[in-house]
Amino acid sequence: MAEVVIVENADAAGALVAAEIVELIDGRPDAVLGLATGSTPLPVYQALRSRLAGRDVLPVRGFALDEYVGLDPAHPESYRSVITRDVVEPLGLDPRRIHVPNGAQATIQHAGDDYETAIDAAGGVDLQILGIGTDGHIGFNEPGSSFASRTRVKTLTEQTREDNARFFDSIDDVPRHCITQGLGTILRARHLVLLAFGEGKAQAVADAVEGPLSAILPGSAIQLHPHATVVVDEAAASRLRLADYYRYTYANKPDWQGI
Ligand code: GLP
């Protein structure tokens, strides 16, 4: 199962994951990062700012998890814009090396296959950052997504549209479709790091980490991965049955073992 690390707060989580990413880039300057949007990964990107300042990060490559379909990439809430604003610009990455699925309607028929080809051509994702939706989705793989799925178009649930309405003027502006890396795509990344903070994520985290493997809870797919790390604060960890064991395991972790 995944390694669960319970930290004091989101900043501590950001520092921990940023350190892992810096180590990865130290060993491989053109490392391939799997980038997530949403509010959850922001502490990681924030922590990376100071840690990567002054370094040559131009070789770093990246693939975002998902994008809305039919939203102008220039729209401030397209994931292309979000990744540019939150990750590419503050960290000084090369925008040409940072990919986001293409949600344009004109090319949507082959956009999923194109994205899979691009990930494969890059040699796969080294470290995939993940958040989790309140309904257990990762990327935009809504409940019912196949564990073998590849990048493709999905229909957003009303719950997700409501959750994301805060970024738009009204819920009517939230697109109904998205293009997302599949669960099978995500599972091919070499290291998964799922973050979650706050009570609102506690049930989804418990279901993903300790619940049955089920397409109804897409996050449970991480249990199939040989190297998955779940970094949560106390509130998001509050429904984990084995929380004490995770704390004990982490406190007694050998120094030579990273996350
Ligand atoms: C969106 C994104 C997911 C993200 C989720 C949770 O639906 N597509 O990748 O994990 O929101 O967002 P937040 O981190 O803001 O709670």
Side-chain angles (χ1 to χ4, degrees):
M1 72 185 298
E3 176 184 28
V4 180
V5 183
I6 303 172
V7 293
E8 211 181 322
N9 52 40
D11 285 345
L16 182 73
V17 177
E20 184 72 10
I21 293 172
V22 170
E23 201 180 308
L24 174 67
I25 295 173
D26 278 345
R28 189 170 170 208
D30 66 346
V32 181
L33 302 179
L35 303 166
T37 49
S39 51
T40 305
L42 293 178
V44 176
Y45 304 142
Q46 183 65 35
L48 280 172
R49 285 188 197 204
S50 52
R51 284 172 176 76
L52 293 178
R55 294 172 54 128
D56 176 18
V57 291
L58 291 177
V60 172
R61 295 168 293 166
F63 287 88
L65 279 171
D66 45 15
E67 178 60 287
Y68 293 107
V69 169
L71 200 61
D72 185 341
H75 187 288
E77 294 307 329
S78 76
Y79 283 173
R80 164 60 73 188
S81 295
V82 172
I83 289 286
T84 301
R85 196 165 61 227
D86 292 345
V87 188
V88 176
E89 287 174 350
L91 301 186
L93 303 182
D94 180 351
R96 290 167 307 177
R97 290 175 189 254
I98 308 300
H99 307 266
V100 179
N102 184 352
Q105 252 140 13
T107 49
I108 201 66
Q109 297 289 354
H110 54 84
D113 286 345
D114 292 350
Y115 207 61
E116 293 284 331
T117 303
I119 293 174
D120 288 346
V125 170
D126 290 309
L127 185 149
Q128 176 64 59
I129 300 168
L130 295 168
I132 187 163
T134 53
D135 63 0
H137 74 246
I138 54 176
F140 264 142
N141 292 281
E142 297 286 28
S145 295
S146 160
F147 282 5
S149 49
R150 292 157 57 88
T151 306
R152 74 237 182 271
V153 170
K154 288 291 286 182
T155 305
L156 297 173
T157 63
E158 278 306 285
Q159 172 73 59
T160 299
R161 291 185 70 239
E162 283 164 23
D163 286 351
N164 290 3
R166 65 188 192 278
F167 299 113
F168 294 83
D169 290 339
S170 101
I171 189 159
D172 299 331
D173 295 339
V174 184
R176 291 183 194 277
H177 296 96
C178 62
I179 173 167
T180 180
Q181 285 190 32
L183 295 176
T185 318
I186 292 168
L187 288 174
R188 288 204 309 275
R190 286 180 273 280
H191 183 190
L192 303 183
V193 179
L194 186 148
L195 300 111
F197 309 119
E199 173 65 31
K201 298 291 176 75
Q203 192 59 49
V205 167
D207 289 343
V209 174
E210 297 177 337
L213 275 178
S214 171
I216 202 75
L217 203 294
S220 65
I222 64 167
Q223 295 179 42
L224 293 169
H225 197 281
H227 189 189
T229 310
V230 174
V231 185
V232 285
D233 64 3
E234 290 287 348
S238 60
R239 297 200 190 168
L240 288 167
R241 284 173 56 190
L242 302 183
D244 286 343
Y245 176 62
Y246 305 139
R247 286 192 193 90
Y248 176 84
T249 304
Y250 193 63
N252 290 290
K253 196 165 178 172
D255 290 339
W256 47 265
Q257 215 178 21
I259 59 168

